[in-house]
Amino acid sequence: MSNEQERNSAFNAVANINVQHAQLQDLSLSAARRLYKGGIRPGDPIRTRVQAQEMLDKIPPSQRAGINGKSTDVNTQKYLSDKHASHIKPHSKGGSNDPKNIEWENAKDNLARGDKPMTPQEQMRLNAKGHFDNLTGAVKAGVKAAPLGAAIGVATTAPFSLLTNGLRVVRGEISAQEAAIETLKDTVKGGTVGGVTAFVTTTVAAACPPIAIALTAAAPVLAVVGTAGMVYEFFKILDDHKQTVKIYYESLTQQELERLEAIEKELIYEHQKNLDFLAEAEAINQEITNRPIAPEIEGAMQRLSESVAIAKSLGLTSADSKMLTSSKLPHLLAEE
């Protein structure tokens, strides 16, 4: 799997992440009523819109996050279903209904405290519980987003891996079975990158509203970058194939040229050998022609003996002349 495929899988996964946090206008009437009237005694004035927003902000971000307004409302109501708007300083002891004096607390804990003030230790526990709820809610959101991210990673990787390995089969680099295995590996990696990216990004965005806002604003740009990356990768694969094929055929041409040069050198060597042999034969022929001729039988036998020696020195055998048979010469000499 190439770096381009990993990058494109990550960009496309992030571009398709949608994390929103509940706003007052997104909430149903029952949820909004809890924010405006939670913890307020009958006859006391309800909170202002600004104060209601502050009450909403006291809910851990991930617990009021969703993919749209409807899901944010559902998640907010689910979180508040077992919560009371608990006064840090009891109402009976002059505590106000201002959000600064209110914490969202499990109903049974609020009822168990009665009209006692909330101790610093209890406030610390509530604060820690809020951070824990934010973390667990963010992780749950990330887990839900991971399958979509994995699917996007697979969709981003598989076609390009199939194209890359298919061209490798065409070039003879790998077999069809090996191409299938490589494509499967790349697809799994792409899905893993997409899934992990979606999980991490969604988890962070759910826990931190500013990041979610930034991602929402950047999503169109990320989508363009991811698409551009895929287009670039497509043409890069084709260009790499073209260059590889060019280099391959150039190497074949070079190999053929080297082979022809080797053949040419061999032919020149053989030709030179023949020229040397002919030159040597011509010299011997001149020696034979110009040698002194002795008279009578004795001179003829001497010339024959010299001719046989010269013939053998040239590599001739009895297959070339019967006169070169090893037993022929002694027989003639014996008759003399």
Side-chain angles (χ1 to χ4, degrees), residues 33-285:
R33 185 181 295 114
R34 294 287 304 278
L35 303 177
Y36 279 98
K37 295 184 176 181
I40 293 180
R41 298 295 187 269
D44 289 348
I46 63 174
R47 298 184 179 93
T48 64
R49 182 178 180 83
V50 173
Q51 290 176 327
Q53 181 64 49
E54 290 179 18
M55 292 295 293
L56 178 61
D57 293 340
K58 284 180 171 290
I59 298 174
S62 67
Q63 299 293 336
R64 50 187 169 88
I67 59 174
N68 51 39
K70 182 178 180 180
S71 62
T72 61
D73 175 55
V74 171
N75 292 336
T76 300
Q77 290 195 67
K78 182 178 179 181
Y79 180 79
L80 294 177
S81 62
D82 63 344
K83 301 293 187 298
H84 275 183
S86 300
H87 290 75
I88 297 174
K89 182 179 181 180
H91 189 272
S92 60
K93 292 181 170 42
S96 71
N97 295 319
D98 188 275
K100 293 182 177 60
N101 191 48
I102 300 292
E103 294 288 351
W104 294 111
E105 185 181 25
N106 287 337
K108 62 179 182 179
D109 294 332
N110 182 45
L111 293 175
R113 184 182 308 104
D115 62 351
K116 297 178 182 178
M118 191 180 295
T119 65
Q121 290 77 12
E122 289 174 325
Q123 294 180 55
M124 290 177 59
R125 282 197 296 270
L126 275 178
N127 186 51
K129 179 67 164 55
H131 288 301
F132 178 77
D133 288 344
N134 191 35
L135 177 60
T136 56
V139 171
K140 288 180 181 178
V143 170
K144 289 181 180 179
L148 176 60
I152 292 172
V154 168
T156 300
T157 304
F160 295 98
S161 179
L162 185 62
L163 175 61
T164 299
N165 291 304
L167 292 176
R168 292 180 66 192
V169 173
V170 171
R171 296 196 298 265
E173 296 176 3
I174 58 176
S175 66
Q177 183 178 3
E178 290 172 330
I181 294 174
E182 290 300 316
T183 300
L184 179 60
K185 289 181 180 179
D186 289 345
T187 302
V188 171
K189 289 180 181 178
T192 301
V193 170
V196 171
T197 301
F199 170 79
V200 173
T201 307
T202 301
T203 299
V204 174
C208 186
I211 292 180
I213 295 172
L215 282 177
T216 301
V221 176
L222 293 173
V224 170
V225 172
T227 302
M230 294 173 69
V231 173
Y232 168 79
E233 183 182 0
F234 173 75
F235 285 105
K236 184 176 183 299
I237 290 172
L238 295 183
D239 185 64
D240 288 346
H241 173 67
K242 179 180 177 181
Q243 293 300 322
T244 302
V245 171
K246 180 181 178 181
I247 294 172
Y248 172 71
Y249 281 110
E250 286 178 350
S251 68
L252 288 182
T253 303
Q254 183 64 30
Q255 290 174 12
E256 185 65 20
L257 178 61
E258 291 173 356
R259 190 176 72 85
L260 291 175
E261 289 178 347
I263 293 174
E264 183 182 14
K265 289 179 180 178
E266 182 66 23
L267 291 174
I268 292 174
Y269 173 73
E270 292 295 332
H271 179 63
Q272 188 62 48
K273 280 178 60 179
N274 291 334
L275 291 178
D276 293 342
F277 176 81
L278 292 175
E280 183 180 357
E282 178 64 22
I284 293 173
N285 183 57

Side-chain angles (χ1 to χ4, degrees), residues 284 288 291 300-314 316 324:
I284 293 173
I288 293 174
R291 66 185 170 172
M301 292 305 297
Q302 181 180 353
R303 291 195 301 273
L304 175 60
S305 178
E306 291 173 352
S307 297
V308 169
I310 292 171
K312 288 184 176 181
S313 71
L314 294 175
L316 301 177
L324 298 177

